């Protein structure tokens, strides 16, 4: 996939003013591991980076919310990227919560694409989708790569023995989570030959806050250094792009801000992911997922 794919479409609109605990081995933690655990706790205590507790959203829910049409309540029929994008969100969410990690690169300094995903903690997350994926990763021996897990969880594999890893009805399950959180509602719509359950937006404030948060991250709060960006926001930008829904966050911008936002997203996509993953305090799962979507 070309890193700049999905960055050329433009819908012009006027600006809207309102718009873990310890490792699985049980050994004593090193100082670096203790720092990782504290970061994981911070992520779980404040998943939504400042949003109210009533509307905390996972990465999967945020990406789906960006992709859903507000009034119609369903994603574009032409979007064939969001399915794998949501599986990437699941892996990153597990990585940020300290449940999985990349195996060590070893003496030969193997790249992110060839390294395997290994279990760091099997403590349940409390999210059904995350725990289902975590169970698959825990029970798989030998371990698999990030690229393989995205394919397996999506059901996009030719190996019949791996079809059991597929996470089914992910969009519908995420939509139901958003209904429970009061963000979406549930309706039935007739499409001539069949009826379909849809989930129109019921709380515009939550989506507007999400859109504004993404816009601010590449405009007024731009830091020009991926390592200084909030990891969840960095992941959201990459996965929204991989899921072909980033346009929905930038469409309300005026032309000048739109061009600046897109330019900065391209800068992130053009980073050397291997080099970024090797930097201190980097989350390797994060960068391995990014690489899987830009190969």
């Amino acid at each position: 996939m070309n890193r700049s794919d999905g960055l050329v479409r433009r819908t012009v609109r006027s600006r809207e003013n309102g718009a873990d605990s310890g490792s699985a081995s049980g050994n004593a933690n090193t100082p670096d591991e203790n720092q990782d655990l504290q970061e994981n706790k911070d992520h779980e205590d404040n998943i939504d980076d400042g949003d109210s507790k009533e509307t905390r959203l996972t990465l999967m829910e945020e990406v789906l919310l960006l992709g859903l049409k507000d009034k119609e309540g369903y994603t574009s029929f032409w979007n064939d990227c969001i399915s794998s994008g949501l599986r990437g969100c699941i892996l990153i969410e597990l990585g940020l919560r300290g449940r999985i990690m990349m195996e060590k690169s070893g003496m030969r300094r193997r790249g992110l694409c060839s390294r395997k995903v290994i279990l760091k903690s099997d403590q349940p997350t409390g999210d059904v989708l995350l725990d289902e994926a975590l169970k698959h990763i825990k029970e798989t021996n030998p371990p698999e790569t990030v690229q393989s897990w995205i394919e397996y969880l999506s059901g996009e594999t030719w190996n019949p023995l791996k079809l059991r890893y597929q996470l089914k009805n992910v969009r519908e399950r995420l939509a139901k989570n958003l209904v429970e959180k009061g963000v979406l509602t549930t309706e039935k719509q007739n499409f001539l030959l069949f009826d379909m359950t849809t989930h129109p937006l019921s709380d515009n404030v939550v989506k507007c806050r999400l859109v504004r948060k993404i816009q601010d991250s590449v405009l007024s709060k731009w830091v020009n250094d991926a390592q200084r960006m909030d990891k969840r926001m960095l992941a959201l930008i990459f996965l929204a792009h991989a899921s072909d829904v980033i346009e929905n966050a930038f469409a309300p911008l005026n032309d000048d801000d739109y061009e600046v936002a897109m330019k900065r997203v391209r800068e992130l996509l053009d980073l050397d992911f291997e080099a970024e993953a090797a930097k201190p305090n980097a989350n390797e799962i994060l960068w391995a997922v990014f690489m899987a979507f830009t190969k």
Side-chain angles (χ1 to χ4, degrees), residues 60 64 83 86-87 90 129 153 167-175:
M60 303 89 76
L64 180 66
S83 178
L86 290 173
R87 272 65 175 186
I90 289 172
L129 276 173
L153 297 176
L167 299 180
K168 299 180 179 179
N169 304 316
V170 168
R171 271 176 271 191
E172 181 64 22
R173 291 159 75 179
L174 290 173

Side-chain angles (χ1 to χ4, degrees), residues 115-184:
R115 291 159 61 189
K116 311 295 186 182
V117 176
I118 59 176
L119 186 72
K120 186 175 182 181
S121 169
D122 63 357
Q123 180 181 355
T125 65
D127 182 283
V128 175
L129 276 173
L130 293 179
D131 289 342
E132 187 176 335
L134 186 64
K135 180 175 181 290
H136 290 324
I137 294 172
K138 177 182 178 180
E139 295 175 349
T140 299
N141 190 27
E144 299 281 0
T145 64
V146 162
Q147 180 71 57
S148 294
W149 273 118
I150 292 173
E151 293 173 359
Y152 297 159
L153 297 176
S154 303
E156 297 176 357
T157 175
W158 294 101
N159 187 341
L161 299 178
K162 304 295 185 180
L163 289 175
R164 64 189 179 92
Y165 294 136
Q166 181 182 5
L167 299 180
K168 299 180 179 179
N169 304 316
V170 168
R171 271 176 271 191
E172 181 64 22
R173 291 159 75 179
L174 290 173
K176 288 182 178 179
N177 288 347
L178 290 169
V179 170
E180 292 177 359
K181 294 178 180 182
V183 181
L184 304 178

